[in-house]
Amino acid sequence: MPSEPAYPVTSRIKSLIRMVPDFPSPGIRFRDVMGLVEDPEGLEEATETLTRRFAPEAPDAVAGIDARGFIFGVPVAQRLGVGFVPVRKAGKLPGEVVGVDYALEYGTGRLEMQTGSIREGMRVLLIDDLVATGGSAAAAIELIRGMKGEIVGAGFVVELPELPGRKRLEALDVEVFALCTFFDADP
């Protein structure tokens, strides 16, 4: 079980995230962060907490995973005073790209980044809305490290601790921070 976050998160954030049964496929209990995004105070709290947590790591850039990672990653990057690097689904970026295939909890996917978007030695903070199996985050880490970037941490709004995402990322020597957790039995 994950430890409690060192940065207190109010129940407001968790209350704004709803469970959608059987999406995107039967048996999946999807945690939808759009209620949080639609709530200015909740979004502010999430952004500020992620920013405060990772400011001491002094990242040179924030990378966000397509597409909800963009929603949280861009304002964190702005507050940290660094650039934002998109990690996109296949075929969405112009120019030369590098890509990695990965397994999802409900299928497979491919993530890509523009060649040169991470320079050697850059300290990169990875942001996404949710960590479950860790497949997309591990793929993004592989891409960033393949460009010789250094991962300073991975921040998420939601963690599903009954799935192996945290352990998978920690096995890659990446610190994981999540604003809130949901167990399968949680409504």
Side-chain angles (χ1 to χ4, degrees):
M1 180 189 271
S3 61
E4 287 299 312
Y7 297 83
V9 177
T10 67
S11 59
R12 176 181 195 77
I13 287 177
K14 194 167 183 172
S15 73
L16 294 167
I17 299 167
R18 69 183 179 124
M19 190 279 293
V20 180
D22 300 318
F23 181 82
S25 59
I28 301 293
R29 293 169 50 91
F30 186 82
R31 297 298 174 167
D32 182 15
V33 298
M34 289 302 113
L36 173 60
V37 172
E38 293 166 359
D39 183 89
E41 292 171 1
L43 182 58
E44 169 65 24
E45 181 181 348
T47 301
E48 182 58 28
T49 304
L50 287 166
T51 302
R52 274 193 334 236
R53 166 57 198 91
F54 288 106
E57 307 305 326
D60 299 310
V62 172
I65 300 174
D66 196 348
R68 290 175 302 274
F70 299 176
I71 294 168
F72 298 99
V74 168
V76 169
Q78 287 178 315
R79 287 174 188 218
L80 291 171
V82 301
F84 177 81
V85 179
V87 181
R88 300 284 325 254
K89 295 173 183 158
K92 301 292 183 180
L93 290 170
E96 188 177 330
V97 298
V98 293
V100 172
D101 295 318
Y102 67 101
L104 295 158
E105 57 270 26
Y106 47 82
T108 60
R110 181 173 178 82
L111 291 177
E112 296 177 338
M113 294 177 70
Q114 288 176 317
T115 303
S117 59
I118 301 293
R119 293 176 306 284
E120 185 171 350
M122 281 182 79
R123 297 172 52 78
V124 181
L125 168 60
L126 182 64
I127 297 286
D128 203 4
D129 68 320
L130 182 139
V131 60
T133 66
S136 58
I141 290 164
E142 183 178 339
L143 284 169
I144 293 163
R145 286 181 172 163
M147 291 186 211
K148 301 191 181 339
E150 176 190 344
I151 303 293
V152 299
F156 303 93
V157 175
V158 175
E159 178 184 359
L160 303 179
E162 293 168 315
L163 295 173
R166 174 181 287 272
K167 288 180 184 172
R168 183 176 189 176
L169 300 182
E170 288 174 344
L172 294 173
D173 200 28
V174 173
E175 181 183 349
V176 174
F177 175 77
L179 297 177
C180 60
T181 59
F182 284 95
F183 290 89
D184 196 44
D186 291 343

